[in-house]
């Protein structure tokens, strides 16, 4: 292992977490948390279909109802990934049948409002974007 000068260490630190660089680990994290189902699960978790409520634990079946169009496999994979990344906790309660709830961790809560805003922005501006796409397509066809 080569010894680095102070200038080299400083230069390395500057590039270590710059998401504009392809090799940056934060770029991988950004790609992961900006996925459609991740964004929607984090938005919905505890706050319901309109994202108006305060975050609270939700059962798998509640999330499944809120997230129309998500397959059971995709929802399970997304929740497992969020749990692995430390954004969600899974709690199983010994009942018949077993009750499983999902809740945002403090790390998940720190991202919750951002993804809620992104969801709201998409809902608010979808018609504008669609109109722009139509104008662009008309001008370029």
């Amino acid at each position: 292992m080569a010894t680095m000068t102070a200038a080299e260490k400083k230069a390395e630190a500057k590039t270590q977490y710059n998401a504009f660089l392809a090799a940056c680990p934060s770029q991988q994290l950004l790609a992961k948390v900006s996925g459609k189902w991740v964004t929607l699960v984090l938005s919905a978790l505890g706050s319901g279909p309109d994202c108006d409520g305060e975050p609270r634990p939700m059962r798998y079946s509640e999330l499944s109802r809120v997230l129309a169009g998500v397959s059971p496999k995709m929802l399970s994979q997304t929740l497992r990934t969020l749990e692995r990344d430390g954004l969600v906790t899974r709690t199983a309660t010994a009942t018949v049948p077993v009750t499983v709830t999902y809740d945002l961790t403090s790390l998940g809560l720190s991202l919750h409002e951002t993804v809620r805003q992104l969801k709201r922005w998409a809902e608010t501006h979808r018609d504008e974007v669609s109109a722009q796409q139509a104008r662009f397509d008309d001008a370029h066809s």
Side-chain angles (χ1 to χ4, degrees), residues 28-35 38-39 42 82 85 87 111 115:
Q28 295 166 345
L29 180 59
L30 185 59
K32 185 184 280 191
V33 299
S34 64
V38 169
T39 300
L42 290 175
L82 291 171
D85 292 342
L87 300 171
L111 184 55
V115 295

Side-chain angles (χ1 to χ4, degrees), residues 2-136:
T3 305
M4 292 174 44
T5 66
E8 289 171 329
K9 287 179 183 177
K10 187 175 181 182
E12 183 182 54
K14 274 186 166 181
T15 61
Q16 190 175 6
Y17 294 112
N18 180 347
F20 288 119
L21 300 176
C24 180
S26 62
Q27 191 179 87
Q28 295 166 345
L29 180 59
L30 185 59
K32 185 184 280 191
V33 299
S34 64
K36 175 175 85 171
W37 292 118
V38 169
T39 300
L40 292 174
V41 166
L42 290 175
S43 298
L45 199 56
S47 56
D50 297 325
C51 292
D52 290 334
E54 289 302 312
R56 63 170 176 78
M58 288 180 80
R59 293 184 65 180
Y60 179 93
S61 58
E62 289 179 283
L63 282 167
S64 182
R65 280 191 299 274
V66 169
L67 301 169
V70 67
S71 69
K73 179 181 177 183
M74 183 54 65
L75 181 55
S76 294
Q77 285 176 349
T78 301
L79 288 166
R80 190 171 296 116
T81 298
L82 291 171
E83 183 181 10
R84 180 175 181 259
D85 292 342
L87 300 171
V88 167
T89 58
R90 178 184 185 273
T91 304
T93 306
T95 58
V96 180
V98 174
T99 303
V100 177
T101 57
Y102 296 89
D103 199 9
L104 294 170
T105 63
S106 58
L107 189 60
L109 282 168
S110 71
L111 184 55
H112 179 73
E113 191 55 39
T114 301
V115 295
R116 268 169 81 158
Q117 291 297 336
L118 182 59
K119 174 193 170 286
R120 287 180 185 138
W121 183 91
E123 293 167 343
T124 301
H125 297 285
R126 180 60 202 137
D127 291 339
E128 284 178 71
V129 171
S130 189
Q132 290 293 335
Q133 290 170 336
R135 281 193 283 280
F136 181 91

